[in-house]
Amino acid sequence: MKLLLVLLALAVVSGGAAAYLARATAYRVKGEAEKALSDVEEALKLDLNEKVSLPRQYDIAINFGTAEHIFDQRRFFTTVHEVTRPGGLMIHSAPFRGWLDHGFYNLQPTLYADLALANGYTPIVMAIAEIHPPKLVPLKTREHILELGLAKALPENGLYYAVMRKGPQETPFRVPMQGY
């Protein structure tokens, strides 16, 4: 089985920050995919604040800490939606708490829950990861994050992870409204 994936990544180049859309095509073995994703020659230098046109959609779109560095959030999440094939996965990782002056935004869990609701995505995993000591807390419901906050059980330095499956039919991206 061939798996097509796209990695949305931020790279520092020549002392400045530039967004890269890395392409990895037709990789089956974890080691090969890791090698391909680190291969700079396979990367496209793109401004993710602008519309991105690629020749195909991908099985997996990965955002490992890029969204918060892109000023135009609507365009960024529209791009993730558009580059992911129907039924494909979108994997997001973003700073949640404790990342002072890191990027333009600290993205909140409600963003991913509302993106899923507005666009018919199926949430697969929603979780908070504490950096030190390492700890992963799966979120059972969107209200679970509020319960953790009230119980003062949120990490001081944490990341938010969201894995969502795009619906089976292609639909235009819809901007979410906050559900709370």
Side-chain angles (χ1 to χ4, degrees):
M1 177 177 111
K2 291 186 178 182
L3 181 66
L4 298 175
L5 60 98
V6 64
L7 174 68
L8 303 165
L10 191 73
V12 176
V13 185
S14 303
Y20 278 84
L21 190 64
R23 296 179 297 171
T25 58
Y27 294 100
R28 289 184 237 170
V29 180
K30 182 180 176 189
E32 288 179 20
E34 288 172 342
K35 181 181 173 206
L37 293 175
S38 65
D39 183 359
V40 224
E41 299 198 17
E42 285 292 319
L44 298 172
K45 184 178 178 183
L46 301 168
D47 181 351
L48 296 175
N49 288 294
E50 303 296 331
K51 183 163 179 55
V52 171
S53 295
L54 296 176
R56 66 159 79 73
Q57 290 182 303
Y58 294 84
D59 298 307
I60 303 173
I62 304 171
N63 160 30
F64 280 156
T66 297
E68 71 272 15
H69 300 281
I70 306 302
F71 191 80
D72 189 342
Q73 292 292 287
R74 178 183 186 150
R75 172 49 48 207
F76 179 83
F77 286 104
T78 299
T79 297
V80 172
H81 178 87
E82 291 174 347
V83 302
T84 306
R85 72 160 176 80
L89 293 178
M90 293 161 282
I91 303 172
H92 296 278
S93 170
F96 172 52
R97 293 186 73 206
W99 293 73
L100 186 61
D101 204 26
H102 176 90
F104 294 118
Y105 309 99
N106 276 336
L107 304 179
Q108 298 300 307
T110 191
L111 170 67
Y112 300 102
D114 292 329
L115 274 172
L117 187 63
N119 289 286
Y121 304 154
T122 302
I124 307 293
V125 174
M126 301 288 186
I128 297 170
E130 188 164 352
I131 304 297
H132 188 70
K135 180 181 175 183
L136 186 68
V137 179
L139 299 172
K140 300 172 191 113
T141 64
R142 74 181 291 156
E143 290 76 21
H144 189 191
I145 190 92
L146 298 174
E147 294 166 9
L148 291 170
L150 291 172
K152 300 196 183 313
L154 292 173
E156 290 299 316
N157 187 9
L159 296 165
Y160 190 82
Y161 288 94
V163 179
M164 301 178 286
R165 182 174 305 282
K166 190 173 179 181
Q169 303 297 319
E170 188 61 52
T171 58
F173 178 78
R174 287 182 295 214
V175 176
M177 297 291 288
Q178 189 169 1
Y180 284 118

